[in-house]
Amino acid sequence: MIWGWAYRWRVQLMATGVGVLAALLRFVTLSYPKALVFDEVYYARGAFSLLVFGYEGDWSGDDQWFASGNYSGLSSEGDYVVHPMVGKLLIAVGIKIFGPTPFGWRVMEALFGVALVVITALIARTLLRSTLFGGIAGVLLAVDGLAITMSRTALLDGFLAFFAMAGFGLIVWDRERFRRRLSARMDAARAEGQDPTLGYGPRMGIRWMRLGAIVVFALAMSTKWSGGYFAAVFLVLSIVWDMTTRRSLGIERWFGGSALRAIPTFLATLVLMPTVYVATWWNWFATDGSYARHWAETHPGKGVTWLPDSLRSLVEYHRQMWEFHTHLTTPHSYQANPWGWPLQIRPTSFYFEDVNAHCGAERCVSAITSIGNVAIWWVAVAAVLYALWRLVRRRDPLGFVLSLGFFAGWVPWLPYAYRTIFTFYSIVFIPFLVLTLAWMLQRIAQPRGRGTWSPKGTLIVGVYLGIVLIIAGYFLPLWTGNPIPYDYWRMHMWTRPWI
């Protein structure tokens, strides 16, 4: 009887299990280190000033004054920030609830990191039609080093990863719902003696999940502009899925019907995305001290003159932000060529300090290095290549569809290899690499399709997952910053670029 109950609730149990695992790895000792880690110096302090002034004020003095409770470096002069508001507003929520403490400025990042693991597992379960492999996808993301590190650090990219994956999830679940509703309407039409395959097929009304996806993608873009790439890729995928669904159900004008009914989606995108984006700048509009808030008033006749002064100022501000991003070439010790991101060739060191701790050695260090779990990353790259092979040779598109988010998050950066950019940006596409990897593992364990297990393939998958967990345990201190002997840290530096 208990097994029957467990089977009925298997999806909920799976989601809870991977969520608990992710939470343990992200929330335990979240307050450590009690310092601003890497670019937290910009985003944690910026979020705090949002609570004080309603806008981001400029900071002076030592970068670590803030972590020690000294806020005297904050001035009312607007700070020139180069990213949209959503991520910093979310960090501010944590500070508002828990105070300007390390836990306070990291808690929302950790919460969204756990949610990212759970929705990745649910999306995998839906597309792979397997609760087991959905759970495997969730576990893989839960124990990945980059995902753990980014969930424990108050940066923007973790929020971007969540919104990109959540938007994709809404596209996936919209497809499932659309197919069920379309089939039901066609069956109802046949029952009434009509032929539903003639013409463009039945009308389906408003696609609320697709509209929700547009809003979520707008929030992604309102966190970092690169979220727009995910919107473009997955909204096009949604239309392609509509076409394949109509064609599979035998609708005569499947292409024209899908294209015609994509017009409202296109128009909704043109309205919703800029509306949501501009709305996320509400505090910039509502305050006088924000950077460039009154630029139009002091520069009459310049910029986009037909816009109201406030919007003209915002457009000019965005022009300055664009100039910054496209010309940022200041050398940095941990900048990394995007060609090496998928193989984690040059991970980012977020934090490294000698500490006075009892670690069993003369020299103890606290290090946070965003090295991904190489057993996941290196094999996931092979999974992407396998997906491309399956698409070409076997006409199996699922693996390629799962890897689209990887290409959306990686390829746009390749032309900007000359810029000062970092490997940790790849947090936005590791969930999609995990989806592709779970798909490949399913193909290995069930080469003839779901329900037919290969003993050899199952053993390979089991051994591989064991290796993933062993490497996760080995590298965990470098992902959480727990004090360790310096020699133990050196043992983890497998290649020179990692040091």
Side-chain angles (χ1 to χ4, degrees):
M1 187 174 180
I2 189 172
W3 288 112
W5 174 87
Y7 183 79
R8 287 193 301 273
W9 290 85
R10 64 192 183 280
V11 178
Q12 293 85 346
L13 292 172
M14 178 273 288
T16 302
V18 298
V20 169
L21 174 63
L24 289 173
L25 294 173
R26 285 152 179 78
F27 278 98
V28 174
T29 68
L30 183 61
S31 294
Y32 188 84
K34 298 184 182 299
L36 292 171
V37 174
F38 200 65
D39 279 356
E40 285 186 341
V41 69
Y42 302 113
Y43 304 126
R45 295 194 307 181
F48 177 78
S49 66
L50 284 172
L51 295 174
V52 174
F53 297 130
Y55 61 89
E56 292 175 78
D58 195 20
W59 290 82
S60 60
D62 189 277
D63 288 347
Q64 294 299 332
W65 283 359
F66 177 79
S68 62
N70 182 351
Y71 314 123
S72 61
L74 176 61
S75 74
S76 59
E77 181 180 352
D79 189 18
Y80 172 47
V81 295
V82 293
H83 290 295
M85 291 289 176
V86 166
K88 289 162 283 186
L89 290 170
L90 289 171
I91 295 171
V93 171
I95 296 176
K96 180 69 174 178
I97 297 173
F98 297 99
T101 64
F103 185 85
W105 67 68
R106 294 172 189 154
V107 62
M108 293 302 291
E109 194 82 58
L111 185 63
F112 273 67
V114 173
L116 176 62
V117 171
V118 173
I119 63 172
T120 299
L122 293 174
I123 292 169
R125 191 261 175 188
T126 299
L127 290 174
L128 301 180
R129 308 293 189 217
S130 169
T131 304
L132 173 62
F133 283 94
I136 288 174
V139 169
L140 290 172
L141 188 58
V143 302
D144 174 64
L146 180 60
I148 292 172
T149 303
M150 296 299 291
S151 297
R152 297 172 60 91
T153 310
L155 305 183
L156 304 182
D157 302 80
F159 297 122
L160 173 60
F162 170 82
F163 288 126
M165 200 62 175
F168 176 60
L170 287 171
I171 293 294
V172 169
W173 295 317
D174 171 74
R175 177 209 186 192
E176 298 292 305
R177 186 169 181 266
F178 172 73
R179 186 178 185 90
R180 289 195 302 269
R181 292 178 62 219
L182 182 58
S183 297
R185 292 200 177 188
M186 293 181 71
D187 290 341
R190 290 190 182 96
E192 295 175 359
Q194 303 173 10
D195 186 353
T197 64
L198 297 177
Y200 297 121
R203 294 181 177 273
M204 298 303 298
I206 298 176
R207 304 275 289 276
W208 293 107
M209 282 192 179
R210 184 185 276 178
L211 292 178
I214 295 171
V215 172
V216 172
F217 286 133
L219 291 174
M221 198 170 177
S222 302
T223 303
K224 272 193 165 184
W225 289 346
S226 52
Y229 297 120
F230 294 93
V233 168
F234 291 130
L235 289 174
V236 170
L237 174 65
S238 179
I239 305 304
V240 172
W241 269 346
D242 279 7
M243 292 179 178
T244 58
T245 298
R246 290 177 183 275
R247 184 179 182 183
S248 67
L249 294 176
I251 293 176
E252 182 182 26
R253 298 183 180 179
W254 55 270
F255 183 87
S258 298
L260 184 65
R261 282 158 187 156
I263 294 175
T265 300
F266 176 73
L267 296 176
T269 303
L270 292 181
V271 173
L272 284 175
M273 290 202 70
T275 299
V276 172
Y277 182 85
V278 173
T280 63
W281 286 79
W282 64 269
N283 59 299
W284 186 89
F285 289 104
T287 55
D288 289 325
S290 300
Y291 179 84
R293 175 63 183 83
H294 297 287
W295 178 89
E297 298 168 21
T298 57
H299 295 80
K302 294 185 179 181
V304 186
T305 56
W306 55 269
L307 286 174
D309 283 354
S310 58
L311 287 176
R312 185 154 62 96
S313 297
L314 185 64
V315 170
E316 167 60 21
Y317 187 5
H318 278 63
R319 187 197 65 78
Q320 295 181 28
M321 292 165 64
W322 176 259
E323 286 291 315
F324 173 85
H325 286 300
T326 54
H327 294 87
L328 180 61
T329 56
T330 306
H332 192 284
S333 300
Y334 288 97
Q335 68 186 70
N337 191 306
W339 286 100
W341 293 357
L343 296 177
Q344 295 292 287
I345 289 177
R346 182 59 171 163
T348 311
S349 176
F350 282 178
Y351 183 79
F352 187 95
E353 294 289 338
D354 285 275
V355 294
N356 294 319
H358 299 290
C359 68
E362 291 185 4
R363 183 183 181 186
C364 301
V365 299
S366 174
I368 300 177
T369 306
S370 63
I371 301 173
N373 189 320
V374 292
I376 296 173
W377 283 82
W378 295 349
V379 179
V381 171
V384 171
L385 297 176
Y386 178 60
L388 295 174
W389 180 86
R390 292 276 300 194
L391 176 67
V392 174
R393 295 298 299 271
R394 301 287 182 87
R395 299 187 181 277
D396 179 3
L398 181 55
F400 175 70
V401 167
L402 295 173
S403 64
L404 281 175
F406 161 68
F407 292 109
W410 177 56
V411 172
W413 289 102
L414 299 180
Y416 297 100
Y418 65 90
R419 279 186 44 193
T420 309
I421 51 181
F422 304 93
T423 298
F424 71 81
Y425 294 179
S426 56
I427 181 61
V428 299
F429 60 73
I430 179 56
F432 299 96
L433 285 179
V434 162
L435 289 177
T436 311
L437 177 54
W439 165 81
M440 185 179 75
L441 294 178
Q442 186 183 45
R443 293 294 184 274
I444 293 172
Q446 300 176 330
R448 296 181 181 84
R450 289 181 292 114
T452 57
W453 293 85
S454 163
K456 182 179 178 181
T458 303
L459 178 62
I460 291 172
V461 171
V463 171
Y464 168 72
L465 294 176
I467 294 172
V468 167
L469 295 177
I470 290 170
I471 291 180
Y474 180 65
F475 276 92
L476 186 60
L478 273 70
W479 298 335
T480 60
N482 291 335
I484 54 175
Y486 174 75
D487 290 339
Y488 186 70
W489 173 82
R490 291 281 304 187
M491 289 169 58
H492 292 73
M493 300 296 103
W494 292 354
T495 68
R496 180 172 294 274
W498 285 14
I499 300 176

